[in-house]
Amino acid sequence: MTRTILFALTGQGDLGQTGAKTGVWLEELAAPYQMLSAAGFDILFATPGGKPAPLDPASLEEPWLQPAGHWFRAQKQALAQLEAPLDLADVDASRIDAIFLVGGTGTLWDFPGCRPLGALASTLLAQNRPVAA
């Protein structure tokens, strides 16, 4: 039986009112994705509101772009999932085995007040299933 891990991602692409861009930090997405997918896990992406998950532009540049990031950028199916993730509100906790909150500065805007994310994490913790960040 294949295990399913939900990757919770930010849908926030703007760094507040600064005019700068932010989003998911590629290495924090790519390294665990590469390892877990190679181990046979199914990985789902979800964001608050089902908004596309932007990659932080700084994480796409040297010296921050690492081998896992280069590998991930060649994964067409994963990149497509970033454009059309699930809405965290629509994720049924009984259909996932673990949740991983992927890092990036954008999470500071949309994770703290996201009730569906809190509910999923609380449900999994109550059932002794992994919740990680």
Side-chain angles (χ1 to χ4, degrees):
M1 178 176 173
T2 302
R3 301 273 188 177
T4 302
I5 300 175
L6 178 70
F7 276 34
L9 307 164
T10 184
Q12 179 72 25
D14 295 314
L15 191 59
Q17 305 295 326
T18 66
K21 295 297 180 189
T22 189
V24 176
W25 194 260
L26 178 59
E27 191 66 18
E28 292 200 26
L29 167 63
Y33 184 93
Q34 184 179 34
M35 180 186 68
L36 293 168
S37 62
F41 289 92
D42 284 336
I43 300 172
L44 302 174
F45 292 166
T47 63
K51 295 172 20 181
L55 295 174
D56 188 310
S59 72
L60 303 175
E61 299 175 1
E62 300 296 338
W64 309 114
L65 187 57
Q66 299 294 307
H70 286 287
W71 173 86
F72 186 87
R73 293 179 74 189
Q75 305 308 304
K76 291 182 177 145
Q77 182 180 2
L79 292 172
Q81 284 186 60
L82 289 177
E83 294 300 318
L86 300 169
D87 184 338
L88 283 164
D90 294 335
V91 175
D92 178 355
S94 70
R95 305 201 69 194
I96 59 174
D97 298 293
I99 187 170
F100 175 61
L101 285 66
V102 179
T105 309
T107 62
L108 297 172
W109 277 265
D110 58 3
F111 278 16
C114 184
R115 291 185 183 271
L117 178 56
L120 283 169
S122 295
T123 298
L124 268 64
L125 283 171
Q127 296 172 355
N128 292 318
R129 289 188 276 160
V131 175

